[in-house]
Amino acid sequence: MTPPHNTRLQLWLLRRPDTAHRAREVLLVEAAGLWDETRAAVLAAVRAYEAGQALPEELAGRAVVREAVELSDEDVDLTPARHIPAEQALVTADLIVRRRDELVDLLRRLPVTVPPVTPGGGEPPAAQITVGDLVKKGLVALNTDPATVVRPGDVLVPSIGPRVKVRVAGPADDGRPLGAQMFLLRTRAGYVDPWCFAGFLVAQANLRRMTSPGSVPRVDVRKAHLPRLPLTTQLAYAGHFRRLREFEDALWLAATAGEEVARMVGEGLVAGTLGSG
């Protein structure tokens, strides 16, 4: 699917109602924020609702149960945050202080993740080979079946743009299905290193080669060009690309946490939860 980047996405879970009462209710959960906390909140809300229990107090400001008829006015908007009472959405000063301290600690550790750089010769490495040729030679296996089981080290590439985010599967991905509109590239051990492979794959020249123009850009990963490198050289590049990905992840986490803290502090000042002195 192609996400609309100018709007917030929603996930709807639909099923046949088990009782007439349940047919009139809708559980809404605000899922913005850091993943671990968001995952815990969503699971807690769904489990309480499924058990017919009141939502836990710690979910105030993140989850609410509404009658379906209340959501069906002339301006229908099912964004969860719009239906959570303002007084519930307020956070405590202790939580704001804790989030701020976590952000400060995260920013303190961020400089260590900045990858080191050294001048190079100015020439791209070695002769080139396409991904399509690597597939033909049996050095890379390509799969697009949504049911394909992902393994750590697989290179995952979306088949639809415009923002092509290539990543190497980690332990958390082990055993999950690939899903729709994705390429899975499994490199042959001892011949092609997956981190080196993925690192060269996301070069701007390759992104232009792989992505077709149009309102819904299509990606053909077979068109990408990669250098022919001995395994020892690939492993050296792989180390750099790993550190670069760690830096990008840390930077994203800091930006996300920073936005959350800025919002919480602003809301706290407006609501009087935080002092202005």
Side-chain angles (χ1 to χ4, degrees), residues 183-250:
F183 289 106
L184 183 150
L185 299 115
R186 186 166 293 161
T187 60
R188 186 175 175 184
Y191 292 87
V192 181
D193 179 86
W195 280 97
C196 179
F197 181 84
F200 279 101
L201 207 58
V202 296
Q204 286 300 313
N206 272 332
L207 293 179
R208 288 193 293 269
R209 291 187 187 104
M210 293 190 301
T211 308
S212 66
S215 57
V216 181
R218 301 284 176 175
V219 175
D220 186 353
V221 72
R222 301 172 187 83
K223 296 180 179 179
H225 291 194
L226 301 172
R228 297 174 181 264
L229 298 172
L231 186 60
T232 53
T233 306
Q234 291 184 47
L235 294 176
Y237 273 104
H240 290 292
F241 288 132
R242 275 180 180 268
R243 287 192 293 271
L244 184 59
R245 177 50 55 88
E246 290 170 359
F247 169 64
E248 291 176 337
D249 291 344

Side-chain angles (χ1 to χ4, degrees), residues 12-272:
W12 292 13
L13 303 181
L14 307 177
R15 70 175 185 187
R16 187 184 302 278
D18 51 6
T19 68
H21 176 67
R22 281 295 183 91
R24 299 193 299 267
E25 289 184 343
V26 178
L27 170 66
L28 300 165
V29 184
E30 173 56 46
L34 301 179
W35 169 244
D36 289 342
E37 182 180 317
T38 295
R39 178 179 180 275
V42 171
L43 289 175
V46 172
R47 286 169 179 162
Y49 182 74
E50 289 292 295
Q53 302 169 352
L55 298 181
E57 291 185 1
E58 60 267 23
L59 294 182
R62 296 207 66 160
V64 68
V65 177
R66 285 281 180 264
E67 292 285 330
V69 68
E70 297 178 15
L71 307 175
S72 304
D73 56 16
E74 59 185 26
D75 184 20
V76 177
D77 186 345
L78 298 184
T79 305
R82 293 183 62 89
H83 300 281
I84 296 174
E87 63 273 12
Q88 286 188 17
L90 298 180
V91 294
T92 65
D94 288 343
L95 178 59
I96 297 174
V97 170
R98 188 164 70 249
R99 286 289 186 272
R100 179 193 175 278
D101 290 345
E102 290 170 356
L103 175 62
V104 170
D105 182 61
L106 184 61
L107 293 175
R108 188 182 294 116
R109 291 183 280 114
L110 188 60
V112 182
T113 67
V114 179
V117 294
T118 56
E123 293 293 330
Q128 303 287 307
I129 186 172
T130 67
V131 171
D133 286 336
L134 287 173
V135 172
K136 291 177 182 177
K137 292 177 179 292
L139 299 178
V140 173
L142 189 151
N143 204 316
T144 58
D145 183 354
T148 301
V149 175
V150 176
R151 300 176 188 168
D154 289 343
V155 179
L156 308 177
V157 185
S159 61
I160 291 182
R163 300 177 185 178
V164 181
K165 185 174 178 62
V166 178
R167 70 183 188 88
V168 179
D173 299 299
D174 192 14
R176 74 170 180 83
L178 174 64
Q181 298 180 341
M182 292 289 294
F183 289 106
L184 183 150
L185 299 115
R186 186 166 293 161
T187 60
R188 186 175 175 184
Y191 292 87
V192 181
D193 179 86
W195 280 97
C196 179
F197 181 84
F200 279 101
L201 207 58
V202 296
Q204 286 300 313
N206 272 332
L207 293 179
R208 288 193 293 269
R209 291 187 187 104
M210 293 190 301
T211 308
S212 66
S215 57
V216 181
R218 301 284 176 175
V219 175
D220 186 353
V221 72
R222 301 172 187 83
K223 296 180 179 179
H225 291 194
L226 301 172
R228 297 174 181 264
L229 298 172
L231 186 60
T232 53
T233 306
Q234 291 184 47
L235 294 176
Y237 273 104
H240 290 292
F241 288 132
R242 275 180 180 268
R243 287 192 293 271
L244 184 59
R245 177 50 55 88
E246 290 170 359
F247 169 64
E248 291 176 337
D249 291 344
L251 196 61
W252 177 86
L253 185 61
T256 303
E259 290 177 358
E260 182 186 29
V261 169
R263 176 184 57 79
M264 293 173 73
V265 171
E267 292 291 338
L269 289 170
V270 170

